[in-house]
Amino acid sequence: MASCATHSSLMLAYAAASTRSQELTPTPSLFSFASPRPNNLSVPLLLLGGSRERRFAAIDRASNRYFQVVVSAVAAEADLDTEEDAEQTATAVLDPPKPKKGKAALVLKRDRTRSKRFLEIQKLRETKKEYDVTTAISLLKQTANTRFVESVEAHFRLNIDPKYNDQQLRATVSLPKGTGQTVIVAVLAQGEKVDEAKNAGADIVGSEDLIEQIKGGFMEFDKLIASPDMMVKVAGLGKILGPRGLMPNPKAGTVTANIPQAIEEFKKGKVEFRADKTGIVHIPFGKVNFTEDDLLINFLAAVKSVETNKPKGAKGVYWKSAHICSSMGPSIKLNIREMIDFKPPAAN
């Protein structure tokens, strides 16, 4: 009985090993070229002689050799896949990218959103070249080719930090040749000042009634001038007028007792300017239909005003860069030293 039990257990062990070997048999691939299964695994376990321990030891050795063959085949196939992936990557790298066409081929990203008109006119000037004032104004007029009359602007980057009180810049400049625009002037006054404002040519004159209209959304004016005695009532309009740059201010010349003079100056071309939070001043100084001499006179007046009103806290080099441009044209860089020292030719 013991012998029969031993033979039965050996038969069951052989059947289990055979079934496991069939499950682990790989599909036709790289395993097809692997080393063949050792012949001793196909020998019936019943033919193994010796004690029970020796027979089980033989089974373990045969199983270990078989699994080593399987692991080696898997590793070889993985190496082959890695080599194929590397070849595909190398092929992809060697393939040249498709050349870009149209605006996508432009070097500067900002030029890819420009119009064809702008891309053509910016070829008239060299990007990094510093021009003298007269040449720059002449070139500016050539770049203005839109269907409407463009404004002409000056942009000065100054060595100031407006977050400090002693480095803030806010002033006005009276352009000798005007701005080329029709300025609508509104006046807040009371008593005799109302008649003075009307006689001086103010477009809109009022007192508390005008304040109520402004609170209701009325903004049909370019400049708002107030007499000093009206500032108590005007203070409540700060949130409305402040963001639009229309709040009366003594530094801007819009709070004054001499209302007729203020109206005359703004009608003739007085312009208010201030440095933004980055220390740049933007000043319009005419229209492109002005003559070059008139634009030059207005521009020099703007430069002189910025220089004269230099903040007390400004240290070191005051002027960092200067550019001029039309409303829809490219900027033209100026030579700062030549601009500051420029003297207009004497009139004959």
Side-chain angles (χ1 to χ4, degrees):
M1 291 295 291
S3 177
C4 294
T6 301
H7 290 298
S8 299
S9 61
L10 289 174
M11 290 294 291
L12 291 174
Y14 174 73
S18 301
T19 304
R20 185 175 183 184
S21 301
Q22 293 175 2
E23 291 177 354
L24 293 175
T25 302
T27 56
S29 64
L30 184 61
F31 292 113
S32 302
F33 306 97
S35 300
R37 181 180 176 182
N39 293 329
N40 55 0
L41 290 179
S42 62
V43 179
L45 297 179
L46 294 176
L47 299 180
L48 295 174
S51 65
R52 180 179 179 182
E53 289 78 6
R54 290 181 60 187
R55 289 194 292 270
F56 279 107
I59 294 173
D60 290 339
R61 286 194 299 272
S63 299
N64 289 336
R65 286 196 298 272
Y66 175 69
F67 285 117
Q68 288 176 1
V69 172
V70 173
V71 170
S72 299
V74 171
E77 188 172 7
D79 292 340
L80 183 59
D81 292 341
T82 303
E83 292 177 0
E84 292 178 354
D85 293 341
E87 291 178 359
Q88 293 177 358
T89 304
T91 304
V93 171
L94 293 176
D95 291 340
K98 295 182 180 180
K100 296 180 179 180
K101 299 180 180 180
K103 291 185 178 181
L106 297 174
V107 178
L108 299 178
K109 289 185 177 180
R110 64 173 179 265
D111 287 342
R112 299 172 190 173
T113 59
R114 303 288 192 183
S115 64
K116 292 182 179 180
R117 181 197 67 85
F118 188 92
L119 294 176
E120 287 297 325
I121 61 176
Q122 76 170 354
K123 296 178 182 178
L124 299 175
R125 60 98 167 99
E126 298 180 28
T127 306
K128 297 183 179 180
K129 181 178 179 179
E130 296 183 350
Y131 292 87
D132 61 86
V133 177
T134 54
T135 303
I137 291 177
S138 177
L139 186 58
L140 181 146
K141 290 178 68 67
Q142 297 178 34
T143 60
N145 60 356
T146 55
R147 297 180 180 180
F148 63 94
V149 180
E150 300 178 43
S151 296
V152 179
E153 306 165 359
H155 306 275
F156 305 126
R157 182 182 293 275
L158 307 176
N159 188 24
I160 58 175
D161 190 350
K163 70 180 180 180
Y164 299 106
N165 292 333
D166 60 347
Q167 296 188 40
Q168 294 179 356
L169 175 61
R170 183 173 183 176
T172 59
V173 55
S174 294
L175 301 176
K177 301 300 180 179
T179 61
Q181 299 176 344
T182 301
V183 181
I184 300 176
V185 178
V187 177
L188 283 170
Q190 56 186 358
E192 298 178 355
K193 300 292 183 181
V194 174
D195 295 333
E196 292 181 5
K198 292 180 179 179
N199 295 332
D203 300 287
I204 303 170
V205 182
S207 181
E208 295 182 358
D209 56 336
L210 181 55
I211 292 176
E212 293 299 325
Q213 292 180 26
I214 294 173
K215 288 181 179 179
F218 177 76
M219 291 290 168
E220 302 298 325
F221 51 86
D222 301 312
K223 289 293 176 182
L224 180 62
I225 301 174
S227 59
D229 57 349
M230 289 293 298
M231 287 306 297
V232 176
K233 300 177 181 180
V234 176
L237 301 176
K239 293 183 179 181
I240 301 174
L241 299 176
R244 296 174 172 81
L246 296 174
M247 187 67 180
N249 189 294
K251 292 183 178 180
T254 50
V255 178
T256 177
N258 192 348
I259 292 180
Q261 181 181 353
I263 294 173
E264 183 180 2
E265 290 175 349
F266 282 109
K267 286 285 189 179
K268 287 185 177 181
K270 189 175 183 179
V271 176
E272 177 188 358
F273 63 87
R274 63 187 303 174
D276 61 17
K277 62 181 180 180
T278 60
I280 301 177
V281 176
H282 312 274
I283 305 177
F285 63 96
K287 295 281 190 177
V288 292
N289 58 358
F290 283 22
T291 64
E292 293 185 11
D293 292 338
D294 290 347
L295 289 175
L296 178 61
I297 292 172
N298 281 353
F299 177 76
L300 294 178
V303 172
K304 183 178 180 181
S305 179
V306 174
E307 181 70 25
T308 303
N309 292 281
K310 178 179 179 180
K312 296 180 180 179
K315 305 295 182 182
V317 179
Y318 182 48
W319 297 85
K320 297 181 69 175
S321 67
H323 295 77
I324 61 173
C325 65
S326 60
S327 299
M328 304 295 290
S331 62
I332 302 171
K333 191 174 184 178
L334 301 176
N335 185 306
I336 295 178
R337 179 51 52 192
E338 190 274 340
M339 176 189 74
I340 297 174
D341 297 338
F342 184 85
K343 295 181 179 180
N348 295 331

